[in-house]
Amino acid sequence: MSSSTSDKPPGLRTGTLGTADISFFVVSAAAPLTVMAGVAPIALVLGGIGAPAGYLLAGITLAIFAVGFTTMSRHVRSGGAFYAYIAQGLGKPLGIAAALVAMVGYNGMEIGVYGLLGSATSDTAGALWGVDPPWLPIALAGLLVIWYGGYRSIDFGAKVLGVLLVAETGILVLLAGGVLLKGGANGLSLASFAPGNVLVPGTAAVLAFAFSAFTGFESTVIYRREARDPARTIPRATYIAVGFLGLFYAFVVWTVIQAFGDDKVVAAAAGDTGGLFFAAITTYVGPWAADLMHVFIVTSIIASLLAFHNAINRYALALAEEGVLPAALGRIHPRHRSPYVAGLAQTVLGAGVVLGFAAAGADPYTQLLLWVNTPGMLGLMALMLLAALAVVRYFRRVPHREGALRTLVAPVTAAVLLALAIWLVASKVALFTGASPTVNTVLVAVVPAVLVLGLLLAYRLRRTRPEVYAHFAEEPHTDPHAELPGAANPDPHTDPHAELPGAANPDPHTDPHTDPHAEGADPSCPQPPTSSSSTPASVPPNRAATPLSPSATD
């Protein structure tokens, strides 16, 4: 091996993640068990027995968004995901602002959940062993566990999440199976999907909760550099994640309705919001299954934290490589091939926020979780809206062979639906926080304020560091951390000599200087463009619901 090769800094572990691995990351970020046991009862109280349809409608909206999103993923290979798409579609100022929103959004989605980890673990200990440990030591221990999971290799994280995800979805499948085998309380009914039960005033609130339950699914593209054959695995994982979550959520909520009966489930949910799922599984499966569900609530939260932690680390890595964040955050562990410095920085930030809320005497659930997660959720939804608009403009500017359905119809439709979803969540924010109007106004204002601050930082960067601004979100000719030539599973998007799988056309990512007819080349540029709910409304088991007190994501 040459000295130049041996001196090359370590890179991410490329060609590691398959479709299933990436799906585990993004579905785990959504925390299905926490969302169902914590949020679904509130959705039933507010929307009645038509609540399952709300999850289907949210899933359909996000599947439409995924059409344009995954199409653009074949053309934009930067590790910056959302901000790179927005920069190339809507311009660098908005791209830099989006990067700031992404960091605030993903950190908010993760750090707030440490409050839920502390409170839910304490509740579980009380339910199983009759003890009431303080939440703060649990949250701090969780910070160390998640740091270690992110410090280890990405395949280690995928295996851990695979096990935890099977556990949390398995207990819900067990509940559903028990209800179906016994025929529910009064026989099985499809009244939940009747228009008269779906088109009710409470459906707007259900949709707000339903959209929050998918947070993190879009993080599939963050793992592009570590994926095997990303042109195929990224779109597949995205569709699998959103399809699974939409169908699974609707199915589980429907089976719980059957467990109590169409005429009694709303009253049961209102009477014992945090205990609805535990009561159902105790009746139809047994008390031992309820004990398992208590335990798996905690592991579901841990899985969500680890998934978001990995996503944040890779965003920080990409921004460090851009020169926007300190270069130290771009260091990669020589053995585990993980962005370990970014992970340490994120853990320190999380510890600071957790300790700050604890010092102020804040409640870990109603304040740390809900006040920190809610702006994070709104931030990620705003990024999806901007990304949908970026898809439209990007494909209007560059030559391509993609169809109008993928590049115009789907993203425009998604943009309209996402704008409606953001309005629903913002207008129903009191349901998510249970806070005063003043607090809610501040929480909703965080995202536009960060976006404006990001625009100001972008203009300052253009003035003071023009070289960084000029190369922001550029499209790499090759991955700076790609494996050595000859490594197994080459990425056809980083290896200019690799043939696209199943394609006879030239690589759309070839350099326009060597192929002026390359697909995706922008003739206007002298250079080609180069470079998992936890949901804010989870109700811990046996905790009385707040006005929202109802919970994600990849």
Side-chain angles (χ1 to χ4, degrees):
M1 183 179 293
S2 67
S3 60
S4 62
T5 300
S6 61
D7 292 340
K8 179 182 177 181
L12 295 175
R13 197 184 297 274
T14 60
T16 299
L17 301 178
T19 300
D21 299 319
I22 299 173
S23 299
F24 287 152
F25 274 103
V26 298
V27 174
S28 295
L33 177 56
T34 305
V35 167
M36 290 289 93
V39 179
I42 301 298
L44 286 168
V45 171
L46 297 174
I49 64 172
Y55 290 95
L56 287 178
L57 291 172
I60 291 170
T61 297
L62 296 176
I64 294 171
F65 165 77
V67 172
F69 185 62
T70 56
T71 299
M72 197 165 180
S73 75
R74 295 199 293 263
H75 296 259
V76 178
R77 296 166 293 147
S78 169
F82 268 144
Y83 79 71
Y85 291 16
I86 293 167
Q88 294 208 24
L90 301 178
K92 290 181 180 180
L94 263 179
I96 293 171
L100 189 59
V101 172
M103 292 301 294
V104 170
Y106 277 103
N107 274 287
M109 289 304 300
E110 188 207 20
I111 294 172
V113 179
Y114 284 109
L116 178 59
L117 176 65
S119 61
T121 304
S122 181
D123 288 341
T124 295
L128 299 182
W129 303 295
V131 297
D132 186 23
W135 72 270
L136 181 59
I138 297 170
L140 295 177
L143 279 157
L144 292 176
V145 170
I146 299 306
W147 164 79
Y148 179 74
Y151 171 79
R152 291 291 302 271
S153 62
I154 191 68
D155 50 334
F156 171 83
K159 291 173 184 176
V160 171
L161 291 178
V163 173
L164 298 182
L165 183 61
V166 168
E168 66 175 302
T169 55
I171 197 70
L172 290 171
V173 170
L174 185 64
L175 166 60
V179 173
L180 295 179
L181 286 174
K182 295 183 180 181
N186 305 308
L188 303 180
S189 164
L190 294 177
S192 292
F193 304 100
N197 292 320
V198 175
L199 302 177
V200 297
T203 300
V206 174
L207 285 171
F209 287 117
F211 277 106
S212 72
F214 288 82
T215 306
F217 91 93
E218 75 294 331
S219 61
T220 51
V221 295
I222 297 174
Y223 301 101
R224 178 185 186 89
R225 281 159 52 174
E226 294 156 291
R228 294 193 297 268
D229 190 7
R232 297 188 181 191
T233 54
I234 297 299
R236 286 174 181 172
T238 304
Y239 286 121
I240 288 172
V242 71
F244 171 79
L245 289 173
L247 294 173
F248 190 67
Y249 287 154
F251 171 69
V252 171
V253 176
W254 174 77
T255 57
V256 169
I257 293 172
Q258 307 314 301
F260 292 90
D262 292 342
D263 56 339
K264 296 180 179 179
V265 67
V266 173
D272 187 11
T273 302
L276 186 73
F277 273 65
F278 296 95
I281 201 168
T282 298
T283 300
Y284 287 91
V285 182
W288 63 270
D291 291 343
L292 274 182
M293 183 174 282
H294 277 294
V295 174
F296 290 160
I297 284 277
V298 176
T299 60
S300 169
I301 296 168
I302 292 173
S304 177
L305 285 166
L306 180 57
F308 273 112
H309 180 72
N310 277 296
I312 293 164
N313 294 349
R314 280 147 186 81
Y315 255 112
L317 171 67
L319 287 169
E321 292 173 345
E322 300 273 14
V324 175
L325 292 181
L329 296 177
R331 292 178 185 170
I332 294 176
H333 195 277
R335 177 184 174 189
H336 299 306
R337 311 287 284 277
S338 61
Y340 71 107
V341 177
L344 179 61
Q346 201 281 329
T347 301
V348 171
L349 174 63
V353 174
V354 169
L355 289 171
F357 271 79
D363 183 87
Y365 176 75
T366 60
Q367 292 174 314
L368 175 54
L369 170 69
L370 300 182
W371 290 11
V372 176
N373 268 36
T374 299
M377 175 187 64
L378 286 168
L380 296 189
M381 294 180 73
L383 289 174
M384 283 193 279
L385 172 59
L386 290 174
L389 296 173
V391 171
V392 176
R393 189 160 185 267
Y394 176 81
F395 285 110
R396 302 283 74 75
R397 293 192 305 108
V398 302
H400 61 86
R401 296 188 180 92
E402 307 288 356
L405 177 63
R406 291 178 171 273
T407 61
L408 182 61
V409 177
V412 168
T413 303
V416 172
L417 294 175
L418 285 166
L420 176 61
I422 292 171
W423 176 80
L424 284 173
V425 172
S427 65
K428 305 291 182 182
V429 71
L431 296 175
F432 287 87
T433 65
S436 67
T438 300
V439 171
N440 290 332
T441 300
V442 172
L443 296 179
V444 172
V446 167
V447 174
V450 171
L451 195 64
V452 171
L453 177 61
L455 288 171
L456 295 176
L457 290 175
Y459 295 128
R460 184 176 185 275
L461 189 66
R462 183 171 63 182
R463 186 178 68 255
T464 60
R465 302 175 65 193
E467 71 288 350
V468 172
Y469 181 87
H471 296 289
F472 181 80
E474 285 186 335
E475 195 67 1
H477 294 296
T478 57
D479 188 334
H481 294 301
E483 295 282 348
L484 295 175
N489 301 314
D491 181 348
H493 298 285
T494 59
D495 180 0
H497 302 293
E499 182 179 354
L500 284 174
N505 295 324
D507 184 353
H509 303 289
T510 49
D511 187 343
H513 295 288
T514 59
D515 182 2
H517 303 291
E519 178 186 351
D522 185 352
S524 65
C525 300
Q527 292 281 347
T530 59
S531 259
S532 256
S533 185
S534 68
T535 53
S538 298
V539 175
N542 297 335
R543 176 177 290 268
T546 64
L548 153 64
S549 256
S551 133
T553 114
D554 188 46

